[in-house]
Amino acid sequence: MASGALGRRLVACLLNISEARRKDLVETVAKAALYDSRGVRREGTTVLNIFNDRDYNRSVVTIVATIDSVGEAVLSACEKACGLIDMRAHAGVHPCMGAVDLIPIYPLGEEVGVEDCAAEARAVARGLTERVQGTSAFLFGWADGPLLRGLAQRRKEMGWFKKTHDLHAIRPDVGPPPQRRFGLTGVGSSPYVMNCNVTIDTQDLALGRSIAAAIRESTPGGLPGVQVLALPHEGAVEIACNVESVKGSPSGHVTAGEPWPSFSVSGQTYCHAPASLIAARVAELGTALVGFTAHECRGLAEFALTHGIAEFWREQRRIRM
């Protein structure tokens, strides 16, 4: 199949699971997305990257597949994760609620519509609660019709940011009240969201929180689309950012003479704040760990699929996300 044909129907799922200290377990989850129970590889599916963070005890598995095959790949990975991760024994500094904490599905081109990803996300939420008895989910973004509430809002409503969770008080959108073993999973879709984490050379968490507040979208003068947490990390403080895409032409958002990275979905142009701008806003900058842009994610996926590379993360150890 030609590269262009592969790219026309591609979507990405940045599967967030609550485990990073057992890397073999995380790779087992990733392989479940790629191979069926007989060990046969799923066509049109690749894992571009696995990002592990030991302090957070959280991993992000970047699964890219065609819209027609992403559901089975993601559900197989989720089943494996739920069988191996017990939230009753979980410890980490990053907020989380579920063994599978987050399942966002993003379109990677004009050929996949907004409603395609929303429908697939809703199907994944239903499939998870049917395949793994006791799991439950809330919906966000395009999947949360007709309200279309964003991830940050839904997490706040569910108590995701709290240190302790009263699971019995939560009313999920899909499935039964959450159980302690599996917790609660967020499932949704939106334009592509990039990750950008910046480490500052301090142990002063209050300072980190003040920096996070200064660049957060909701703050006057903050950066559009940027959602931020300040977390203790490896003896320092990390400013952990989700960089959501915002509607509009990149010409309206220019940094140091360069337009913001952009892409198009269903005829609508989106762009997002570049990592360089986020880094410039953070005092005493340390090291930035930058994820793929939507354009990079699609390009790498087309390369991997064209060359038959399922476990692409093994080929690109230098890429972190």
Side-chain angles (χ1 to χ4, degrees), residues 195-220:
N195 299 325
C196 178
N197 298 342
V198 182
T199 301
I200 56 175
D201 187 18
T202 182
Q203 294 183 349
D204 186 347
L205 190 56
L207 173 62
R209 286 172 176 160
S210 69
I211 292 172
I215 66 174
R216 186 174 289 126
E217 178 183 46
S218 58
T219 300

Side-chain angles (χ1 to χ4, degrees), residues 139-152:
L139 302 174
F140 66 89
W142 294 336
D144 178 43
L147 298 177
L148 307 182
R149 290 167 290 184
L151 177 59

Side-chain angles (χ1 to χ4, degrees), residues 13-17 29 59-63 74 77-78 100 102-104:
C13 175
L14 272 63
L15 184 68
N16 286 233
I17 63 172
V29 171
S59 296
V60 181
V61 180
T62 302
I63 303 167
V74 170
C78 289
V100 176
L102 190 64
I103 309 174

Side-chain angles (χ1 to χ4, degrees), residues 1-11 66-67 108-113 298 302:
M1 184 180 295
S3 174
L6 286 168
R8 282 200 295 268
R9 299 286 290 168
L10 291 179
V11 298
T66 63
I67 186 68
L108 287 181
E110 283 281 3
E111 299 79 9
V112 178
R298 174 172 170 161
E302 288 188 342

Side-chain angles (χ1 to χ4, degrees), residues 94 150-153 155-156 160-161 193-197 211-213 215-219 222-230 239-246 273 278:
H94 197 290
L151 177 59
Q153 178 183 347
R155 279 174 160 172
K156 186 174 182 180
W160 188 85
F161 297 101
V193 176
M194 188 184 76
N195 299 325
C196 178
N197 298 342
I211 292 172
I215 66 174
R216 186 174 289 126
E217 178 183 46
S218 58
T219 300
L223 297 174
V226 176
Q227 310 293 333
V228 197
L229 290 173
I239 310 299
C241 305
N242 279 353
V243 187
E244 299 176 352
S245 303
V246 295
I278 295 170

